[in-house]
Amino acid sequence: MARRSKTSLENDIERSRWEEKWENIPKLVEQLSSRTTTESSIDALKNLLMNESRLEIYLRNNPLGTTCAAEAKVQLKEVVSNLTKLVSQDKLQKSDKTQEALFLLCKAHFVMEDFHSCVKYCNQGGADDIFIDSQSKRKSKLVADGFAHKAMALEQLQSMGELSVSDDDIIACYECAGDIVLWLTTDHISTTRTTGSSQIMSLGQTLEVAIQRAPVLLIKNGKMTQGINRFRHLLRVIESKATMNLRKGLAKQLAQVLLRGICEQSYERPLHILHNSPMISSTTSVRSVSKATGETKASINIIACKHASFPLKPQMYTGDSLFFPQNETEEILILLLLEEAMVLKDAELSQGPEKAALRRKTVADSESVYDLLTVALVRRAQYGVLAECLDRGMKVAFEEFHLWFQFALALISAGKHHRALLVLRQCHQLRPEDSSVCLYAAKLCFNNLHMIDEGIAFAKKVVALGDEKELSSRGYLALGIGYSLKAGEACLRGERQQFQKRAIEALQRAHNLDPDDSEVLFHLSLCQAHMRQITKALKNVRNAVKMDMNQSFFLHLLALVLSSQKKFVEALEVCDAALMEFPEDFSLLVTKVKLEQTCVGGDQALITCKKLLETWKLVYDSDLSRPSVELQRAGSGLLDKVITDTRSLKQIPLTEIGSDKDSMDGASSIAASVRLEQALSDEAASASIKLSVPAVLALQAKLWLSIAEVFISMEKDAEANACVQEAHLIFPLSPDVFFQRGRIFEMKESFADAKNCFENAIAINPTHVQSIQHLGSLYHKTGNLVMAEKVLREAINIDPTAFEAWHLLGVVLEAQNEHEAASECLMTAIDLEATRPILPFTIIPRFL
């Protein structure tokens, strides 16, 4: 029999119910009569509509989770009584209206925390065929609401110990509710496009919970793949205004699951065969397929349908243009970038007090998505991408410390140090009492930006917070490092000693606050070594090594301090032990070469020199495998020839296999030299930093120069010249290249050429002490005592611990008949030589 068409009043009532304009229902119900409706039982219909509006108004004013069961029973007593009479006396005379009343009773009993009755009424409503009609959307939504409330009631009963409740029933109810409401949203999109209506469908808190809860329960029950696929299915539903916030939550949840619960081996890519199901716009009947068992929970209708065969499927995105991720990282990033776009699109930027709640929500959503992006991108070391993402989010970060600080850390990791310092200054303004911000800023200033004064200022701010603070000892450590760096740059001897004294005082204070901090002891020992307080330095560095033996710098300093006491054998043993743990530490290898040269002789040192070259090739050859401009200056290929030769460096004819060609013109600039020197000094000192190509090449040049020094000590000028030439091809304007070349000329007594080389080295680096003192020696040899004295005093002013300069100055002064001054200089040279390490203490980096 054909269905009778509805009257205009019935359509108005249905529209008000769908749009949840419950205040309009009483006025419309009063107009119902036999002439304005096709329903036979008008009084029962009026009763149903009035009680529905009263129930929905109560639920709107008392959202889920805020209601009190006792108060709800009082407020809804009459509503429940009226609806129960309508159902029990069959006054509605139509199964669809009876079903609506049953689902309303289901909602009411859930609010009153009568979970058994909630489940019972939902089962009664689903006992017969349920007709889902696109023309009766309110009923369809009621069905979804009913099954959502039933699922929540079953969860509550399960938590109370009801053994008859199964997880499969709960999940099926949630999936049923979710599929119906998502079908409604996609059908609403089509209706809106057709009619031009701007009305936005409201899902409601209950249905949002139902949609999100099903995949979560699947995952909790160990069905990880099914849960993830359910998430993917929900996200592929065509987006509507009603589901925007829902999609944001689903994307976040799926990203969290993939981040925390899925590894590369267990990841399953989304399949391309998820075809779109046609949207059902005609009347659809969902029939019962469950078997009667006599139990309450057995009379489940719609729930018995498996998800794959469920007839209601929402419209989903399809087509060849869809992107399917190939691994878990791609999928995580797509989800989080999607969530980020939605958060920023709906961001509340107003600072007005009336918008405070919305702004707090925006900030919370932003922090959540950027924290997850941080976890995902840091795993892949994509710090630059993370910094770009956080940069986009800065528009919502007004006076929000967490986002600013995350941005600063991302910039630091991405190597954008200048901008990171600017962001850290902003963080300090937002939270001046946070000492960690000042410590990060001081670390940037000391380690990367060479802004020592500003770093000291930040360290003083940490100290000013008080000794009782957790990080106060780190503040004194930063202050001590800053003062020691200032001492290294001071031009006047008195100023330098003053800074060194302040550094030791600050580090001693840090040690008193935290006696178990090995890093404090290390830097205290290093400062004492610079001051030639060798006994104290040895004690402190040994204590530091006892606390932490996993730091190569600690062992290196111990070897140098032992060498300053002329305990070369013991120092060599420390180097060997350190190299067993850190075989790729080039500073340790160079120190070992010098110790072997002193203890054993040049032959053994040359064996270690060849190991130096082999280690360099092993560590950095892969970094230089791609074509680049820098490779054009990577030498003549002498390194490969030496390594492939099974003989030692002593037996290899370097003069025959080396190259006499000049360096490339493109590298012949002081600016290029300064850049390479800076790259090496900034990067090579830290074993945790991956060297850039310029620093790698500069390091190879340094190794060749170290080998040349061994040959010079053995008076093998030809071999030494071959090594210097190779370094020159790599690093043509290095001051060390000119210095070693000058030494070779000096050994050959070609004083004019040697003088020219030393002057070139000084022109590139005016503080190159070795070149200055050798230039002074040349002036002395050539009889120019006045220039010799001037140059040697300059060397002493740069490095007061250079005993060779003191000794030469004494000799020059004695030749000028200044015997008293000469005697003082010679005595100073003797004192300094007694505590001279095998290599200068300055090769140990001072990093925070």
Side-chain angles (χ1 to χ4, degrees):
M1 181 177 178
R3 298 178 63 185
R4 295 173 59 186
S5 61
K6 293 184 178 181
T7 65
S8 61
L9 178 60
E10 287 178 316
N11 288 331
D12 289 342
I13 292 173
E14 194 65 29
R15 187 182 305 108
S16 295
R17 293 175 71 198
W18 170 244
E19 295 176 359
E20 299 183 0
K21 297 178 180 178
W22 302 111
E23 288 77 6
N24 298 341
I25 295 297
K27 296 179 182 179
L28 295 172
V29 166
E30 289 177 0
Q31 302 176 36
L32 280 174
S33 65
S34 58
R35 289 176 299 181
T36 57
T37 180
T38 58
E39 301 289 342
S40 56
S41 52
I42 298 176
D43 292 336
L45 178 61
K46 287 182 177 181
N47 196 358
L48 173 65
L49 295 174
M50 291 298 296
N51 285 285
E52 179 189 31
S53 65
R54 290 175 60 187
L55 174 61
E56 293 295 346
I57 289 172
Y58 176 83
L59 294 176
R60 185 182 62 191
N61 297 333
N62 299 273
L64 187 67
T66 63
T67 56
C68 172
E71 181 185 348
K73 287 178 182 178
V74 175
Q75 296 288 335
L76 299 178
K77 180 179 180 181
E78 185 180 352
V79 172
V80 171
S81 176
N82 292 337
L83 290 174
T84 304
K85 288 179 182 178
L86 288 174
V87 171
S88 60
Q89 297 175 11
D90 197 19
K91 292 184 177 182
L92 293 169
Q93 298 179 1
K94 287 186 70 176
S95 61
D96 58 337
K97 294 300 179 184
T98 302
Q99 286 174 341
E100 290 182 25
L102 287 169
F103 286 121
L104 287 171
L105 282 170
C106 173
K107 295 172 67 173
H109 281 286
F110 180 84
V111 174
M112 296 187 296
E113 297 186 6
D114 185 358
F115 302 123
H116 286 97
S117 298
C118 173
V119 175
K120 180 186 74 174
Y121 283 116
C122 183
N123 287 340
Q124 287 181 10
D128 299 324
D129 292 347
I130 298 178
F131 289 93
I132 304 299
D133 193 342
S134 62
Q135 301 302 316
S136 302
K137 294 181 181 179
R138 170 59 188 170
K139 180 192 172 183
S140 303
K141 190 175 180 183
L142 266 180
V143 174
D145 266 332
F147 281 102
H149 282 94
K150 177 185 175 181
M152 292 189 291
L154 288 173
E155 279 201 89
Q156 292 292 333
L157 293 173
Q158 191 181 56
S159 65
M160 296 175 185
E162 289 275 349
L163 299 179
S164 59
V165 178
S166 70
D167 291 328
D168 290 340
D169 286 349
I170 298 172
I171 293 170
C173 283
Y174 278 135
E175 289 186 344
C176 171
D179 283 337
I180 292 175
V181 75
L182 289 176
W183 170 76
L184 280 172
T185 60
T186 52
D187 182 64
H188 182 68
I189 295 173
S190 301
T191 305
T192 302
R193 289 172 180 170
T194 304
T195 62
S197 172
S198 60
Q199 178 67 30
I200 299 174
M201 174 186 169
S202 174
L203 290 183
Q205 187 178 1
T206 303
L207 292 176
E208 285 192 6
V209 169
I211 293 171
Q212 297 180 71
R213 191 70 181 150
V216 171
L217 286 179
L218 284 168
I219 292 170
K220 281 187 175 181
N221 282 275
K223 301 175 181 178
M224 182 69 73
T225 303
Q226 294 181 34
I228 290 174
N229 287 333
R230 177 66 181 176
F231 270 125
R232 290 167 175 166
H233 169 79
L234 296 172
L235 285 167
R236 284 197 62 196
V237 174
I238 291 179
E239 183 178 353
S240 65
K241 292 182 179 180
T243 59
M244 282 184 180
N245 287 332
L246 177 66
R247 286 172 66 83
K248 185 164 60 178
L250 291 172
K252 175 183 174 181
Q253 286 179 300
L254 179 53
Q256 287 175 323
V257 170
L258 294 173
L259 272 174
R260 298 172 182 173
I262 297 296
C263 63
E264 187 175 352
Q265 289 74 24
S266 60
Y267 175 77
E268 294 183 13
R269 293 183 297 173
L271 302 177
H272 292 65
I273 56 176
L274 297 174
H275 298 297
N276 187 29
S277 299
M279 182 176 65
I280 303 174
S281 57
S282 59
T283 302
T284 302
S285 171
V286 183
R287 296 183 176 277
S288 173
V289 296
S290 60
K291 297 180 179 179
T293 60
E295 300 179 11
T296 304
K297 78 180 187 73
S299 58
I300 299 171
N301 172 307
I302 212 167
I303 303 173
C305 298
K306 299 298 181 185
H307 175 69
S309 60
F310 193 75
L312 290 178
K313 296 293 181 186
Q315 284 185 322
M316 294 190 291
Y317 291 109
T318 57
D320 298 333
S321 61
L322 291 181
F323 174 77
F324 286 85
Q326 301 301 308
N327 53 59
E328 79 281 5
T329 302
E330 284 188 2
E331 186 166 2
I332 290 167
L333 289 180
I334 288 171
L335 292 166
L336 293 177
L337 292 175
L338 172 66
E339 184 189 356
E340 180 202 20
M342 289 188 285
V343 169
L344 295 181
K345 178 183 177 183
D346 301 330
E348 179 56 62
L349 303 180
S350 172
Q351 300 300 316
E354 69 280 0
K355 301 288 187 179
L358 290 175
R359 171 149 181 81
R360 284 195 298 270
K361 184 177 184 302
T362 295
V363 171
D365 290 343
S366 301
E367 289 181 351
S368 174
V369 67
Y370 287 123
D371 286 347
L372 291 173
L373 272 170
T374 300
V375 174
L377 291 170
V378 167
R379 286 183 180 180
R380 299 285 181 173
Q382 296 297 316
Y383 305 112
V385 178
L386 177 60
E388 291 176 6
C389 294
L390 287 165
D391 197 5
R392 291 195 297 268
M394 284 298 102
K395 71 176 185 179
V396 301
F398 179 72
E399 293 188 351
E400 294 298 332
F401 173 81
H402 180 73
L403 288 175
W404 279 99
F405 195 49
Q406 288 283 72
F407 187 33
L409 297 180
L411 289 171
I412 292 171
S413 302
K416 301 176 181 178
H417 301 124
H418 284 90
R419 192 177 182 194
L421 181 61
L422 296 175
V423 177
L424 285 173
R425 287 174 184 164
Q426 178 67 25
C427 293
H428 179 60
Q429 291 181 7
L430 294 175
R431 194 177 291 180
E433 74 283 358
D434 194 330
S435 54
S436 63
V437 174
C438 294
L439 286 174
Y440 271 108
K443 183 176 181 179
L444 270 182
C445 292
F446 294 152
N447 296 2
N448 305 106
L449 301 177
H450 202 69
M451 300 168 62
I452 301 174
D453 290 327
E454 186 165 357
I456 290 174
F458 278 114
K460 286 181 177 178
K461 290 177 181 179
V462 179
V463 171
L465 293 174
D467 291 353
E468 69 279 359
K469 291 291 184 178
E470 181 182 358
L471 296 175
S472 57
S473 67
R474 306 297 294 180
Y476 281 108
L477 170 63
L479 190 59
I481 293 174
Y483 283 140
S484 65
L485 290 171
K486 285 291 288 184
E489 291 191 341
C491 297
L492 300 177
R493 183 178 180 184
E495 186 182 4
R496 185 184 297 111
Q497 289 178 343
Q498 186 65 27
F499 278 124
Q500 287 174 336
K501 184 179 178 181
R502 290 181 186 178
I504 290 177
E505 289 175 355
L507 292 168
Q508 189 62 56
R509 189 68 178 273
H511 178 59
N512 294 337
L513 289 171
D514 190 357
D516 297 326
D517 193 332
S518 59
E519 190 176 354
V520 171
L521 277 175
F522 164 73
H523 284 285
L524 178 59
S525 173
L526 184 56
C527 285
Q528 290 168 339
H530 281 290
M531 292 285 286
R532 296 302 173 92
Q533 300 174 7
I534 301 300
T535 304
K536 293 180 180 179
L538 181 60
K539 177 184 176 182
N540 287 325
V541 74
R542 277 179 168 164
N543 289 333
V545 170
K546 286 179 183 178
M547 293 178 186
D548 187 359
M549 297 185 65
N550 296 320
Q551 298 294 332
S552 62
F553 296 149
F554 294 7
L555 296 168
H556 196 181
L557 178 59
L558 177 58
L560 292 180
V561 172
L562 288 171
S563 71
S564 69
Q565 293 185 328
K566 305 303 180 279
K567 299 178 180 179
F568 298 117
V569 176
E570 190 174 345
L572 184 58
E573 291 175 355
V574 171
C575 271
D576 286 332
L579 286 168
M580 291 180 67
E581 294 292 330
F582 310 100
E584 298 173 359
D585 192 308
F586 292 98
S587 294
L588 278 171
L589 283 167
V590 171
T591 303
K592 182 182 178 182
V593 169
K594 293 291 291 184
L595 288 169
E596 287 180 337
Q597 189 178 338
T598 303
C599 298
V600 186
D603 294 346
Q604 180 62 37
L606 287 175
I607 296 174
T608 306
C609 287
K610 186 174 182 181
K611 185 178 180 183
L612 263 176
L613 299 175
E614 292 172 348
T615 305
W616 183 91
K617 185 171 178 63
L618 177 67
V619 175
Y620 297 119
D621 192 50
S622 59
D623 294 340
L624 303 177
S625 58
R626 62 185 185 279
S628 69
V629 177
E630 300 293 344
L631 284 180
Q632 296 177 9
R633 335 193 272 274
S636 63
L638 182 60
L639 182 138
D640 293 327
K641 297 174 184 177
V642 169
I643 291 176
T644 55
D645 199 315
T646 57
R647 294 172 292 178
S648 67
L649 276 173
K650 180 183 177 182
Q651 299 169 325
I652 298 175
L654 297 178
T655 55
E656 297 178 9
I657 63 175
S659 174
D660 294 329
K661 68 177 181 180
D662 204 353
S663 60
M664 296 292 293
D665 293 337
S668 298
S669 69
I670 293 179
S673 173
V674 170
R675 285 196 298 270
L676 284 172
E677 190 79 37
Q678 187 67 32
L680 184 61
S681 60
D682 287 348
E683 300 176 19
S686 178
S688 61
I689 297 177
K690 181 179 176 62
L691 297 186
S692 60
V693 171
V696 169
L697 296 173
L699 178 59
Q700 186 192 154
K702 293 279 187 182
L703 300 184
W704 281 114
L705 293 173
S706 297
I707 299 170
E709 193 168 354
V710 176
F711 280 121
I712 290 172
S713 68
M714 299 172 67
E715 298 183 355
K716 295 186 176 183
D717 58 313
E719 288 80 357
N721 189 61
C723 295
V724 172
Q725 177 63 19
E726 188 70 14
H728 177 65
L729 292 173
I730 300 170
F731 200 166
L733 288 181
S734 167
D736 291 323
V737 169
F738 284 106
F739 169 67
Q740 296 295 355
R741 182 166 285 173
R743 288 187 65 189
I744 295 172
F745 285 126
E746 189 178 14
M747 186 169 58
K748 296 178 179 180
E749 297 185 353
S750 299
F751 295 141
D753 292 332
K755 178 176 175 292
N756 186 43
C757 288
F758 293 142
E759 287 175 344
N760 287 337
I762 297 168
I764 295 171
N765 182 6
T767 61
H768 200 272
V769 176
Q770 292 175 306
S771 295
I772 296 173
Q773 65 188 23
H774 275 266
L775 182 59
S777 176
L778 281 180
Y779 280 129
H780 173 249
K781 290 178 182 179
T782 57
N784 193 343
L785 299 181
V786 176
M787 283 301 298
E789 180 183 354
K790 179 184 176 182
V791 170
L792 290 170
R793 287 189 184 278
E794 184 180 348
I796 290 170
N797 187 51
I798 296 172
D799 183 9
T801 63
F803 85 95
E804 298 97 334
W806 282 103
H807 176 263
L808 286 171
L809 181 59
V811 173
V812 170
L813 290 173
E814 185 179 6
Q816 292 176 322
N817 296 320
E818 298 181 20
H819 302 294
E820 186 175 350
S823 177
E824 290 179 2
C825 290
L826 292 172
M827 289 298 296
T828 303
I830 291 172
D831 292 339
L832 290 173
E833 197 280 333
T835 57
R836 179 182 69 93
I838 197 73
L839 285 172
F841 290 116
T842 52
I843 68 171
I844 304 289
R846 286 173 286 195
F847 282 163
L848 179 59

